[in-house]
Amino acid sequence: MTTQTQNSQQASGGDAYSIGAVARLTGISTHALRIWERRYGTVVARRTPSGRRIYSRTDVEKLSLLKLLVDHGFSIGQIAGLSLEELRERHSEVADQLNVMQERNSDLVIKVAALAGYSINRLRRVSLPDRIDLAVIESDYSRFRADVKRTQPDVILLEFPVIDADSLRRIADLRSIAGTRRYVVLFNFAHPQEVTELAAAKVELVRSPTTMESLLNLLLAGGTVAQPPKRQPFNSDADPALRLLEEDIPPRRFAEADLSAILRRQSDIACECPQHLADLIQGLAAFEVYSEQCEARDEKDAALHRYLQGTAARARSLMEEAMDTLVVEDRLLG
C-alpha cells in the first residue's frame, strides 16, 4: 500500500479513501466518480470537515465491481442500483462465462483485423497475449477492406465514435467479403435503433473509453453485447432560446492521428495528463457528431441539439487549448 493511500485512510481508522485513491484503485476517473455518484447514486461519499470526499472499503469494492461490469458491456444505468451482493453475483456469472470460453479456446490462436481509431491504436503499444495474432491494423478503410478480404480474420475489431448508418453499411460491406463470425465494435455514442440492430446481429458492442486489459480479455473470451440505451423523454418546457449558429462551432485542432502521435511520445512530466486530455477531446468530438446526427422532432428539438453540439464543441476547444500548452511545454510533437 502506498504512503499516500495510507495517509488517506487515517481519517477514519484505515477505512477511508480519498477520491484520488479510489480512482487509482478502481480505474474510474475522478470526473466519472463524481458523475456516477451524482447521477446514478452508485455510492454516497462522506465528507471531511473541509468538504473533501472520503470513501469506505465497501464503496471501493462496489465501484470496482461496477467498473468491471461496465467494461464487459453493461451500462452503468442498468447496474448502478444493484446491491453489493447482487454485483458480486453478476460479476461471478460473467467471470464463469469468461473462464468457460477461455478453457474451450485455450489452444486457439485468434487472428484479429482491427480498423484503427483513437482507442484501437493503443494496441500498437501494448504486449499482446500469445493467442492474439494482430494480423491487420489499419486506419484507412479501403486498405483495411482489402486486407480483411485477403486474410479472412477470426475477429474484426472496429471503432466508431458514433454508430450511424455509415457504420452499419461498413459492417455489412465487410460481411459481404469475409466469412468472419465475430465483430467487436468500440463506440462512444449511438442511437438506440442502431444498437438494437447490431445487438440482434450478435455484434459485440463496447463503450469507449475502455482499458486495453478489458479489450484483450474480450477478444480472448468473447464479450457481452451492450443493451440499447434508453432515450430520455425531451422536456418540452426547455428554454426555446437555446440556439447556436454553425459558424460559432470551433474547428478541431487535433485529429485522431494527432492525438495518437502525442500519446506515442514519451512525456517528460511523468504523468498521465496527455492521456486524460486526449480521452476528453476524443469523447467531446464524438458527442459533437452524435448531437449533430440526432433526429429532431421539431425546430425546438433541433435548437436543443444545436445547443448541445455547440456546447460540446466549445468544451472540446478549451481542452484543445490545454493540450496545445502541454504539447509546447512537454515537446510532445516533433
Side-chain angles (χ1 to χ4, degrees):
M1 183 181 296
T2 65
T3 300
Q4 187 172 2
T5 302
Q6 290 173 329
N7 291 340
S8 72
Q9 296 178 359
Q10 290 174 355
S12 67
D15 192 21
Y17 298 81
S18 69
I19 192 169
V22 174
R24 290 190 294 275
L25 289 168
T26 64
I28 307 169
S29 70
T30 56
H31 174 71
L33 283 169
R34 294 187 182 98
I35 292 294
W36 285 14
E37 183 177 347
R38 183 174 68 250
R39 185 176 300 170
Y40 302 106
T42 50
V43 296
V44 179
R46 291 170 289 165
R47 297 279 185 167
T48 66
S50 63
R52 294 178 59 211
R53 282 179 168 86
I54 54 173
Y55 298 82
S56 69
R57 193 184 306 268
T58 300
D59 292 335
V60 173
E61 182 183 359
K62 183 175 183 180
L63 290 165
S64 297
L65 289 170
L66 287 169
K67 177 63 164 60
L68 288 168
L69 290 171
V70 166
D71 284 346
H72 283 92
F74 293 88
S75 73
I76 185 62
Q78 289 177 309
I79 58 177
L82 297 181
S83 67
L84 181 58
E85 186 59 35
E86 289 171 328
L87 289 171
R88 288 170 178 161
E89 291 177 3
R90 188 71 61 88
H91 179 257
S92 178
E93 291 170 2
V94 172
D96 288 344
Q97 292 172 3
L98 292 177
N99 289 335
V100 168
M101 297 188 74
Q102 286 177 339
E103 290 174 3
R104 186 182 302 163
N105 301 314
S106 59
D107 296 327
L108 301 178
V109 174
I110 303 168
K111 185 190 299 183
V112 178
L115 181 61
Y118 166 71
S119 295
I120 291 178
N121 265 317
R122 298 184 201 175
L123 289 174
R124 302 180 191 270
R125 308 193 305 274
V126 300
S127 178
L128 298 175
D130 292 339
R131 287 186 50 227
I132 292 182
D133 172 19
L134 190 58
V136 177
I137 182 165
E138 177 59 65
S139 300
D140 179 80
Y141 180 73
S142 296
R143 291 196 293 268
F144 178 75
R145 186 182 188 278
D147 288 340
V148 163
K149 188 174 182 179
R150 173 178 54 82
T151 61
Q152 295 292 309
D154 302 306
V155 181
I156 292 180
L157 177 61
L158 306 168
E159 183 173 2
F160 303 117
V162 177
I163 295 178
D164 53 16
D166 184 60
S167 308
L168 299 179
R169 281 194 295 270
R170 288 194 170 188
I171 293 173
D173 177 46
L174 292 169
R175 280 183 161 155
S176 71
I177 63 168
T180 304
R181 292 186 177 182
R182 285 190 67 196
Y183 285 77
V184 178
V185 174
L186 274 66
F187 72 103
N188 294 83
F189 301 97
H191 297 282
Q193 60 269 28
E194 276 82 14
V195 173
T196 300
E197 184 172 338
L198 290 178
K202 305 301 182 184
V203 173
E204 297 167 35
L205 301 174
V206 182
R207 287 189 180 274
S208 292
T210 187
T211 64
M212 285 298 100
E213 179 182 6
S214 295
L215 180 58
L216 292 174
N217 285 338
L218 183 147
L219 292 175
L220 286 169
T224 303
V225 177
Q227 296 299 312
K230 294 182 179 179
R231 182 181 293 274
Q232 298 297 320
F234 175 65
N235 180 9
S236 60
D237 296 326
D239 185 353
L242 297 178
R243 57 178 60 88
L244 188 84
L245 298 177
E246 289 185 5
E247 55 265 29
D248 292 330
I249 297 178
R252 289 193 67 170
R253 301 187 192 187
F254 297 97
E256 289 186 2
D258 299 321
L259 295 175
S260 296
I262 289 171
L263 297 181
R264 283 196 295 270
R265 297 293 298 270
Q266 178 64 44
S267 171
D268 294 334
I269 58 178
C271 75
E272 296 184 355
C273 286
Q275 178 74 68
H276 295 322
L277 275 177
D279 287 344
L280 286 168
I281 291 168
Q282 175 61 17
L284 287 165
F287 185 70
E288 287 179 63
V289 177
Y290 177 75
S291 298
E292 183 180 22
Q293 294 181 353
C294 267
E295 295 181 2
R297 293 172 293 186
D298 50 38
E299 179 52 37
K300 188 176 181 180
D301 200 10
L304 176 62
H305 284 98
R306 287 196 297 272
Y307 168 78
L308 294 174
Q309 179 191 4
T311 300
R314 290 195 294 273
R316 183 255 307 153
S317 183
L318 287 173
M319 292 299 99
E320 287 177 329
E321 288 181 15
M323 182 66 89
D324 262 340
T325 301
L326 195 59
V327 165
V328 172
E329 293 294 326
D330 208 26
R331 301 181 297 279
L332 292 176
L333 288 177

